[in-house]
């Protein structure tokens, strides 16, 4: 029965004149692109229209957004476990269907409770699941070229950041913010329902292939080794590297989100205009794309902990550079440095988990990692705002938080790839 079922699947995966993993990568990039309605850069376009219609304060909505994001950080753990149990096609299809419904919910909010629930839904399904599931799928299909494949898939995120704010702004201007959310629901379904249902496969082994299309030799040996070294969730949590890496990724989520959130305020406080501040965001996005591609190459050739520590150093450099920003060109240079640090860090923080802990239980492990990422991102802007209110400047916040990426760099360096106890006993016995 199983062989007959595999035979029916084979024509779809076998008709392509290239490795089917590249089809998976394309779907993953599209999925990350379609996460846009659940990302901060998209809702920022809705903020003022929602305030204008409802009369809720900016602080009230920001608080609800943080609460919804923290709720999503907890719920994403369950999504990771479902991914391990049912596979990417089932989970991604369900996430896409529910994500569209969440967008429809956002079009109907009338009370703060409605808005909190809407934030929890779109952050769990959009920012969390529509990023975690595609990147996990790429990590399952690629081993040797995992860094570069992940970098290519994450280009969908860069395209999303450029496209969705413009699309949402046009929809809001023409039809109002509630109708804009309805339109976004159909965009989500139109982009991803059919690809998720028809093209996604759980793993290369499920369709008679091997990761990276390995055919014997070292490639097959690498794939076999990857299976042998797979950690369970419990085994991963017993390693020092697991906890150190959870903390090491916090700086990019907290500081990167805070600096992006306060970008206009930070730069206008230095005498620059809002247009220059917007230009800095564009430069930041471009630099992030380039650094993400570079990180894909570096992470396939060098120990990931060294790349991770290097990204932290670039982030420290960006924070220090804010103190000398006094003109437009210096502001653009600051944006380039910050974008480079974020691109290096995000790629490494994605590929290091499968590289360290294997593919079999990657959904559960990545679910925990995404929980940490989303929680720190939700909390990031708040301490910067509080310290700004105390000192009427962001300088104090920047000085205080310089210690975070420095500590994260040390944690990364102290996190060599763990070896399973069974493998260690075999090495000693041999």
């Amino acid at each position: 029965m199983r062989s007959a079922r595999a035979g029916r699947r084979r024509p779809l995966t076998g008709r392509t004149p290239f490795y089917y993993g590249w089809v998976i990568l394309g779907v993953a990039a599209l999925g990350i692109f379609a996460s846009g309605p659940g990302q901060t850069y998209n809702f920022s376009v809705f903020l003022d229209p929602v305030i204008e219609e409802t009369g809720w304060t900016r602080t009230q909505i920001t608080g609800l957004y943080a609460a919804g994001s923290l709720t999503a950080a907890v719920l994403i753990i369950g999504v990771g476990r479902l991914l391990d149990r049912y596979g990417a096609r089932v989970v991604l299809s369900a996430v896409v269907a529910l994500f569209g419904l969440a967008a429809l919910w956002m079009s109907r909010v009338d009370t703060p409770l409605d808005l909190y629930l809407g934030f929890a839904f779109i952050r769990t399904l959009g920012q969390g699941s529509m990023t975690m599931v595609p990147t996990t799928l790429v990590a399952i299909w690629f081993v040797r070229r995992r860094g570069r494949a992940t970098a290519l898939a994450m280009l969908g995120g860069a395209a999303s950041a450029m496209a969705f704010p413009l699309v949402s702004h046009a929809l809001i201007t023409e039809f109002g913010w509630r109708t804009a959310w309805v339109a976004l629901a159909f965009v989500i379904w139109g982009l991803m329902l059919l690809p998720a249902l028809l093209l996604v496969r759980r793993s290369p082994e499920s369709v008679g292939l091997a990761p990276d299309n390995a055919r014997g030799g070292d490639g097959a040996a690498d794939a076999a080794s990857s299976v042998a070294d797979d950690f369970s969730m419990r085994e991963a949590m017993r390693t020092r590297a697991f906890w150190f890496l959870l903390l090491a990724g916090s700086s990019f989520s907290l500081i990167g989100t805070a600096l992006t959130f306060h970008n206009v305020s930070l730069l206008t406080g230095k005498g620059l205009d809002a247009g220059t501040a917007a230009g800095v965001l564009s430069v930041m996005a471009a630099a992030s794309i380039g650094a993400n591609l570079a990180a894909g190459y570096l992470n396939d050739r060098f120990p990931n902990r060294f790349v991770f520590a290097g990204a932290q150093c670039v982030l420290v450099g960006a924070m220090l550079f804010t103190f000398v920003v006094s003109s437009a060109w210096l502001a653009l240079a600051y944006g380039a440095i910050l974008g480079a640090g974020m691109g290096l860090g995000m790629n490494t923080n994605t590929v290091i988990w499968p590289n360290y802990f294997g593919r079999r239980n990657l959904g559960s492990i990545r679910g925990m990692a995404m929980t940490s990422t989303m929680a720190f991102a939700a909390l990031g802007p708040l301490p910067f705002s509080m310290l700004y209110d105390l000192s009427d400047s962001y300088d104090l916040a920047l000085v205080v938080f310089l210690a975070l990426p420095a500590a994260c760099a040390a944690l990364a360096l102290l996190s060599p790839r763990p070896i399973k106890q069974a493998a260690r006993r075999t090495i000693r016995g041999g």
Side-chain angles (χ1 to χ4, degrees):
M1 178 70 71
R2 183 173 297 178
S3 61
R5 189 179 296 120
R8 288 196 298 272
R9 291 175 181 165
R10 181 64 183 173
L12 178 62
T13 57
R15 278 199 297 267
T16 57
F18 48 82
Y19 177 47
Y20 193 76
W22 297 111
V23 175
I24 296 294
L25 190 151
V27 175
L30 186 62
I32 297 171
F33 176 84
S35 74
Q39 301 284 4
T40 301
Y41 53 72
N42 184 68
F43 183 74
S44 64
V45 181
F46 286 84
L47 182 56
D48 287 340
V50 172
I51 290 173
E52 183 178 348
E53 179 181 320
T54 63
W56 301 331
T57 67
R58 190 175 301 271
T59 300
Q60 187 178 11
I61 293 177
T62 303
L64 291 170
Y65 191 73
S69 296
L70 288 173
T71 302
V74 176
L75 294 177
I76 199 68
I77 298 174
V79 178
R81 292 176 179 172
L82 291 172
L83 179 59
D84 286 338
R85 182 171 182 179
Y86 296 106
R89 177 158 62 171
V90 172
V91 173
L92 187 58
S93 299
V95 164
V96 171
L98 293 172
F99 189 22
L101 292 176
L104 292 179
W105 176 280
M106 290 294 290
S107 74
R108 306 281 295 177
V109 297
D110 288 317
T111 68
L113 177 60
D114 291 341
L115 187 59
Y116 157 73
L117 292 173
F119 284 149
F121 295 151
I122 65 168
R123 298 294 276 170
T124 301
L125 299 164
Q127 186 218 11
S129 301
M130 292 287 284
T131 300
M132 182 189 71
V133 176
T135 53
T136 300
L137 189 58
V138 170
I140 289 172
W141 278 78
F142 293 89
V143 175
R144 280 190 155 192
R145 291 174 286 189
R146 181 174 286 150
R148 284 165 287 181
T150 300
L152 291 174
M154 290 176 71
L155 291 178
S160 180
M162 296 181 209
F164 272 101
L166 297 175
V167 171
S168 295
H169 176 72
L171 289 170
I172 292 168
T173 301
E174 186 68 23
F175 304 108
W177 68 269
R178 293 184 182 275
T179 303
W181 276 114
V182 174
L184 288 176
F186 285 95
V187 169
I188 293 165
W189 290 331
L191 285 173
M192 280 303 298
L193 266 181
L194 288 180
L197 286 167
L198 300 179
L199 300 178
V200 172
R201 296 294 181 269
R202 182 175 194 141
S203 67
E205 291 88 348
S206 70
V207 292
L209 299 173
D212 300 300
N213 206 28
R215 299 180 184 277
D218 293 339
D222 285 347
S225 175
S226 172
V227 172
D229 291 342
D230 283 340
F231 284 69
S232 69
M233 186 66 192
R234 181 173 298 179
E235 289 170 336
M237 292 177 68
R238 289 174 180 168
T239 67
R240 181 180 67 182
F242 178 86
W243 299 105
F244 278 15
L245 291 177
L246 279 183
L247 294 174
S250 66
S251 61
F252 301 106
S253 300
L254 193 152
I255 296 174
T257 301
L259 290 177
T260 302
F261 190 89
H262 295 293
N263 179 67
V264 173
S265 178
L266 172 67
L267 294 179
T268 54
K270 295 181 176 294
L272 303 176
D273 57 52
T276 299
V280 167
L281 290 177
S282 298
V283 170
M284 192 186 305
S288 179
I289 292 172
N292 171 50
L293 293 172
Y297 176 85
L298 294 172
N299 281 314
D300 284 343
R301 280 169 167 71
F302 301 101
N304 296 163
R305 60 193 175 111
F306 295 137
V307 184
F308 214 9
Q312 307 282 358
C313 294
V314 177
L315 182 57
V316 169
M319 296 173 73
L320 290 173
F321 202 84
T322 61
F323 292 100
V324 302
V325 171
S326 59
S327 64
W329 76 268
L330 287 173
L332 295 175
Y334 152 73
I337 298 170
L338 180 59
M342 293 298 292
L344 286 169
M346 288 186 295
N347 181 279
T348 308
N349 199 31
T350 300
V351 303
I352 199 168
W353 296 99
N355 285 349
Y356 271 41
F357 299 107
R359 299 183 300 144
R360 181 170 298 175
N361 303 293
L362 185 55
S364 298
I365 293 170
R366 282 291 314 283
M368 282 290 292
M370 283 297 296
T371 291
S372 176
T373 296
M374 294 172 70
F376 280 111
L379 297 173
L382 183 59
F384 273 66
S385 295
M386 295 171 65
L387 292 172
Y388 178 86
D389 290 339
L390 285 174
S391 62
D392 199 31
S393 169
Y394 290 104
D395 290 352
L396 177 60
L398 289 162
V399 169
V400 169
F401 279 95
L402 272 174
L404 181 59
C408 290
L411 290 173
L413 292 174
L414 292 172
S415 304
R417 181 178 177 180
I419 301 175
K420 286 183 68 172
Q421 292 296 326
R424 185 177 290 113
R425 287 195 295 270
T426 300
I427 292 171
R428 289 174 179 171

